[in-house]
Amino acid sequence: MSMILSASVIRVRDGLPLSASTDYEQGTGVQECRKYFKMLSKKLAQLPDRCTLKTGRYNINFISSLGVSYMMLCTENYPNVLAFSFLDELQKEFITTYNMMKTNTAVRPYCFIEFDNFIQRTKQRYNNPRSLSTKINLSDMQMEIKLRPPYQISMCELGSANGVTSAFSVDYKGAGKISSE
């Protein structure tokens, strides 16, 4: 069954988690993906604003805007258009709910944990496509993804989850591979 398993809101400049969904899935593959979430969180400032990391049975997708990143873990067969529509919806709600000055000055992890309620409701809606409301314009998102596809981060670019240095460059320079200059 294709579905969203988890989602997080993270400050880009330092990887501070601001909010996250409560996860019930505890499989080995999901635990491994949590390590990738943490690794990516530390690299967000060096990455494009829309990316996907394929980890085998799961994908990690994220978008970043205004210093905040919205990251999700889903099964590999979850449609890209739904994944990025979900992230876009999280982004719009977070931006309208919280003052960006407050997110910039947050000092402790998960200080916006009450946003989890919105994440959970939205996740449930996206995990049951029949219940998706018509206010989501999937054709617009599909066109946007076609015109500007997410950057595909490879596992070798990420490095390993056991502390080996990853191959990200300091600055992202346009489309294409991220080099380790």
Side-chain angles (χ1 to χ4, degrees):
M1 185 166 129
S2 65
M3 62 189 298
I4 298 169
L5 302 172
S6 138
S8 295
V9 179
I10 300 155
R11 187 167 56 200
V12 171
R13 79 169 185 261
D14 58 4
L16 181 74
L18 301 172
S19 186
S21 61
T22 308
D23 301 328
Y24 303 105
E25 181 88 21
Q26 296 297 321
T28 308
V30 173
Q31 292 297 331
E32 187 70 20
C33 288
R34 278 186 184 55
K35 293 177 188 173
Y36 298 134
F37 253 61
K38 288 179 183 174
M39 292 173 72
L40 284 169
S41 294
K42 301 297 182 203
K43 308 288 183 193
L44 289 170
Q46 302 164 13
L47 294 168
D49 63 348
R50 183 185 303 167
C51 294
T52 297
L53 172 66
K54 295 179 185 290
T55 67
R57 294 183 18 214
Y58 304 101
N59 290 341
I60 297 173
N61 300 299
F62 67 87
I63 59 173
S64 300
S65 177
L66 300 172
V68 178
S69 187
Y70 309 86
M71 193 177 293
M72 65 170 307
L73 172 66
C74 60
T75 54
E76 67 181 330
N77 55 351
Y78 195 77
N80 254 356
V81 67
L82 288 178
F84 285 100
S85 290
F86 169 79
L87 292 171
D88 191 54
E89 197 167 329
L90 292 185
Q91 175 187 16
K92 286 176 181 168
E93 182 67 18
F94 193 83
I95 288 170
T96 58
T97 305
Y98 299 104
N99 177 322
M100 294 318 289
M101 185 65 155
K102 193 174 176 184
T103 60
N104 288 333
T105 57
V107 291
R108 58 185 176 81
Y110 306 106
C111 59
F112 301 101
I113 198 65
E114 68 277 358
F115 191 70
D116 175 45
N117 293 328
F118 180 80
I119 294 173
Q120 291 296 358
R121 284 191 315 271
T122 308
K123 189 168 80 165
Q124 285 175 349
R125 236 176 354 104
Y126 276 83
N127 281 342
N128 184 359
R130 290 180 211 168
S131 73
L132 281 176
S133 66
T134 55
K135 74 177 187 174
I136 301 170
N137 193 338
L138 294 179
S139 62
D140 285 352
M141 181 57 72
Q142 200 155 14
M143 182 57 77
E144 187 177 329
I145 288 172
K146 186 176 182 179
L147 293 174
R148 198 172 67 88
Y151 179 80
Q152 301 290 317
I153 301 169
S154 71
M155 292 302 282
C156 66
E157 287 173 300
L158 184 60
S160 82
N162 64 5
V164 175
T165 308
S166 67
F168 287 115
S169 68
V170 174
D171 294 314
Y172 173 71
K173 298 177 180 135
K177 292 283 183 196
I178 296 176
S179 63
S180 57
E181 299 173 355

